[in-house]
Amino acid sequence: MNPSQYADRLIRKLETLADLSDEEKHALRGLPMTVKAFGADQDIVREGDCPMECCLVLTGMLFRYLVLDDGRRQIMGFYIPGDIPDLQSLHITIMDHSVGTLVPTTVAFIPHQSLNDVNARYPTVANALWRDTIVDAAMFRLSMVGLGRKSAHERIAHLLCELLVRFKAVGLADDERTCAFPITQGELGDALGLTTVHVNRVLRDLKRDGLVTLRGRSLHVDDWERLRELAKFDPTYLHLEGRKATE
Amino acid sequence: MNPSQYADRLIRKLETLADLSDEEKHALRGLPMTVKAFGADQDIVREGDCPMECCLVLTGMLFRYLVLDDGRRQIMGFYIPGDIPDLQSLHITIMDHSVGTLVPTTVAFIPHQSLNDVNARYPTVANALWRDTIVDAAMFRLSMVGLGRKSAHERIAHLLCELLVRFKAVGLADDERTCAFPITQGELGDALGLTTVHVNRVLRDLKRDGLVTLRGRSLHVDDWERLRELAKFDPTYLHLEGRKATE
DNA sequence: CGGATACTTGAGGGTTGTCAAAATATGTGG
DNA sequence: CCACATATTTTGACAACCCTCAAGTATCCG
């Protein structure tokens, strides 16, 4: 990935959130970005930090999490290229959770100041970013439904559906039914409120029933219709279409 | 409550999110509002709707929820006077969940168009509203931690702490340790991923141990320190202070 | 006052957690 | 490229938290 493509990731993402004029795209290309490569299992921002920049995922994968005093961990979401997981830090000073790498990941840091300048000048961009934080919130809400009211089988099936759809939306799926899946069973458990052991048993069921195959670090969905039905997956909450004109 | 006070609720809330100039306050007072009174257990907006206005709670209490096909329900949050629970509808067309009344409630509807006009003219207001949706997201995230990783006792204690603090923040607590609590045990269960029966048993424990008293429809915290400790309640996520200047 | 809603309590069961250990995969240095 | 250390996956036995079902009591409200 070469430097001129960094902004492309961002633009491609924002175009799923708003129609951008050439001038706006030009302004986005002008944003200063500091690119940094991280190894696996490293924190990008930590609970208690007051970051002065936002991070854009270029390659690899991040996750958002909180660890309680006694070691219990809740993972609140996984982030793929194009995502800006700490966009919220533009408006709230202190991080109430951490963001770390799942695998070796490159990230572009964009100073808050620069983003605020672009936002002040281009309301369409500001609204697209606002919209991104709102879609994030919709994903949290749906996770709440899973954690509070769905069985382990439903939760796991739902996460698999969501990841495939999101990878496809940014053009990074290997094919129509296959995408990267660098998430361990322990991490899956922490994201879904389950233990490693139980995640393992449920995945065994899903494989046995011919719904999915997990090989190496990739996910292949063998029977999308049945997986979708089990998960009751409805991509509405991702708000990938039907966005609203604000002008 | 008389009409001139409607905008005061909104201004009071936004002042917890940003410093407003007199001109900005004046613009907010000029927002057209249609006030409507609802009975208990009525929907304000429903999943699938495409609202053209936002609702501001004036008196009473609302809750945000989603019902699955088979009747399982997840409540995603409770809303008190000053809150704007469907602010997100400014930026995503279709409601992916519903908002209903817990008790008889009066609500002011503000047309999206008018809010967008004010936002375009007063970036501080737009940023305050953006910040509000971001704080909402922080609350969803913390709910995920509870649902995924905390025991029934911890979850219930946490919700009680949060409600008292939020009522105090908008000046509507009866006193330092008492506030309204018009939530049934069934609704508590749907918010916390538990059954009515289990909520009842846990509340019995909390009362027996001298942590709280629930009388009529109000909550009194008898031992704040122990309740806070049990819940591991840390109000950081409500972002009631330490907001960030964006100019 | 009467019907509906909400709360309370008991008995028993199931999904999921805990503990423990073995098998397999992954990664790294020599 | 192999050997070893580490992380991850897998399996089993057992326990616990919370659920389900059921019935009775209290409370609210017209």
Side-chain angles (χ1 to χ4, degrees):
Chain A
M1 197 167 201
N2 75 60
S4 76
Q5 299 179 299
Y6 300 157
D8 288 338
R9 265 280 161 257
L10 178 62
I11 289 170
R12 174 156 198 174
K13 172 62 174 263
L14 294 189
E15 282 186 319
T16 70
L17 296 161
D19 293 316
L20 301 175
S21 70
D22 287 342
E23 189 185 346
E24 285 153 354
K25 288 184 205 173
H26 182 75
L28 291 170
R29 279 184 213 290
L31 282 170
M33 297 191 187
T34 312
V35 176
K36 195 168 166 192
F38 290 85
D41 291 309
Q42 287 188 269
D43 282 335
I44 308 278
V45 279
R46 236 180 231 119
E47 188 190 348
D49 286 356
C50 299
M52 299 303 287
E53 47 203 7
C54 288
C55 67
L56 165 70
V57 184
L58 296 175
T59 66
M61 212 160 154
L62 301 181
F63 69 108
R64 186 196 296 280
Y65 70 96
L66 185 68
V67 177
L68 301 179
D69 294 341
D70 56 6
R72 286 176 292 181
R73 179 174 72 163
Q74 178 66 42
I75 291 178
M76 299 150 183
F78 297 104
Y79 298 90
I80 68 179
D83 289 336
I84 312 173
D86 65 346
L87 194 49
Q88 51 159 77
S89 64
L90 261 187
H91 286 284
I92 57 184
T93 39
I94 190 170
M95 289 295 292
D96 53 28
H97 62 272
S98 305
V99 176
T101 60
L102 221 42
V103 286
T105 297
T106 55
V107 167
F109 289 100
I110 311 172
H112 284 170
Q113 171 97 50
S114 312
L115 270 175
N116 280 324
D117 290 347
V118 171
N119 285 344
R121 226 167 130 151
Y122 302 99
T124 306
V125 173
N127 282 328
L129 293 176
W130 188 353
R131 192 164 193 266
D132 185 65
T133 62
I134 285 176
V135 172
D136 241 32
M139 294 174 61
F140 297 143
R141 284 196 298 269
L142 213 63
S143 292
M144 287 180 65
V145 178
L147 290 166
R149 286 296 179 227
K150 289 187 174 174
S151 71
H153 286 76
E154 291 170 306
R155 283 182 233 178
I156 291 183
H158 197 278
L159 181 59
L160 300 181
C161 287
E162 176 183 311
L163 272 176
L164 179 58
V165 166
R166 285 172 59 201
F167 269 115
K168 287 202 290 187
V170 292
L172 288 175
D174 297 356
D175 63 56
E176 199 53 28
R177 321 221 137 177
T178 312
C179 66
F181 193 77
I183 307 175
T184 68
Q185 295 181 5
E187 287 154 352
L188 264 184
D190 283 343
L192 300 173
L194 303 167
T195 57
T196 304
V197 173
H198 202 63
V199 167
N200 184 272
R201 289 193 247 264
V202 172
L203 282 177
R204 163 169 41 74
D205 292 346
L206 297 183
K207 292 173 194 162
R208 167 176 42 78
D209 296 345
L211 297 179
V212 301
T213 310
L214 291 167
R215 228 179 315 92
R217 307 197 125 180
S218 79
L219 160 70
H220 180 82
V221 176
D222 297 307
D223 190 333
W224 172 256
E225 239 342 290
R226 276 204 298 150
L227 189 67
R228 172 177 160 19
E229 172 54 28
L230 169 60
K232 296 279 186 307
F233 180 74
D234 172 0
T236 304
Y237 73 103
L238 292 173
H239 298 279
L240 296 172
E241 0 209 327
R243 63 177 182 264
K244 175 172 261 176
T246 45
E247 287 83 6
Chain B
M1 197 167 201
N2 75 61
S4 76
Q5 297 180 299
Y6 299 156
D8 288 338
R9 263 284 159 257
L10 177 62
I11 289 171
R12 175 157 197 172
K13 172 62 174 262
L14 294 189
E15 282 187 319
T16 70
L17 297 161
D19 293 317
L20 301 175
S21 70
D22 288 342
E23 189 185 347
E24 286 153 354
K25 289 184 203 175
H26 183 75
L28 291 169
R29 279 185 213 290
L31 282 170
M33 297 192 186
T34 310
V35 176
K36 196 168 163 191
F38 290 85
D41 291 309
Q42 287 187 269
D43 283 335
I44 308 277
V45 280
R46 236 183 231 116
E47 188 191 348
D49 286 356
C50 299
M52 299 302 288
E53 46 203 7
C54 287
C55 66
L56 165 70
V57 183
L58 295 175
T59 66
M61 213 162 153
L62 300 180
F63 68 107
R64 188 195 296 277
Y65 70 96
L66 185 68
V67 178
L68 302 179
D69 294 341
D70 56 7
R72 286 176 292 182
R73 179 174 73 163
Q74 178 67 41
I75 290 178
M76 300 151 183
F78 297 104
Y79 299 91
I80 69 180
D83 289 337
I84 312 174
D86 64 345
L87 194 50
Q88 51 161 80
S89 64
L90 262 187
H91 287 283
I92 55 183
T93 40
I94 191 170
M95 290 293 292
D96 54 27
H97 62 273
S98 305
V99 176
T101 61
L102 222 41
V103 286
T105 297
T106 55
V107 166
F109 290 101
I110 310 172
H112 283 171
Q113 170 98 49
S114 312
L115 271 175
N116 280 325
D117 290 346
V118 171
N119 284 344
R121 228 169 129 149
Y122 301 100
T124 306
V125 173
N127 282 329
L129 293 176
W130 186 352
R131 192 164 193 265
D132 184 66
T133 62
I134 284 174
V135 172
D136 241 33
M139 294 174 60
F140 297 143
R141 284 195 299 269
L142 212 65
S143 292
M144 288 180 63
V145 178
L147 290 166
R149 286 295 177 224
K150 288 186 174 176
S151 71
H153 286 76
E154 291 170 306
R155 285 181 231 178
I156 291 183
H158 197 278
L159 182 57
L160 300 181
C161 288
E162 176 183 310
L163 271 176
L164 180 59
V165 166
R166 284 172 60 202
F167 269 115
K168 289 201 290 188
V170 292
L172 288 174
D174 298 356
D175 64 55
E176 201 52 27
R177 318 220 138 178
T178 313
C179 67
F181 193 75
I183 306 174
T184 68
Q185 295 182 4
E187 287 153 353
L188 265 184
D190 283 344
L192 300 173
L194 303 168
T195 57
T196 304
V197 173
H198 201 64
V199 168
N200 185 271
R201 289 193 242 265
V202 172
L203 282 177
R204 167 172 33 77
D205 293 345
L206 298 184
K207 293 173 197 165
R208 167 175 44 77
D209 296 344
L211 297 178
V212 300
T213 311
L214 291 166
R215 230 180 314 92
R217 307 197 123 179
S218 81
L219 160 70
H220 180 81
V221 175
D222 298 308
D223 191 333
W224 172 257
E225 239 343 290
R226 275 205 297 149
L227 189 67
R228 173 176 158 19
E229 173 55 28
L230 170 59
K232 297 279 188 304
F233 180 75
D234 172 359
T236 304
Y237 73 103
L238 293 173
H239 299 279
L240 296 173
E241 0 209 327
R243 63 177 183 266
K244 174 172 261 175
T246 45
E247 285 85 5

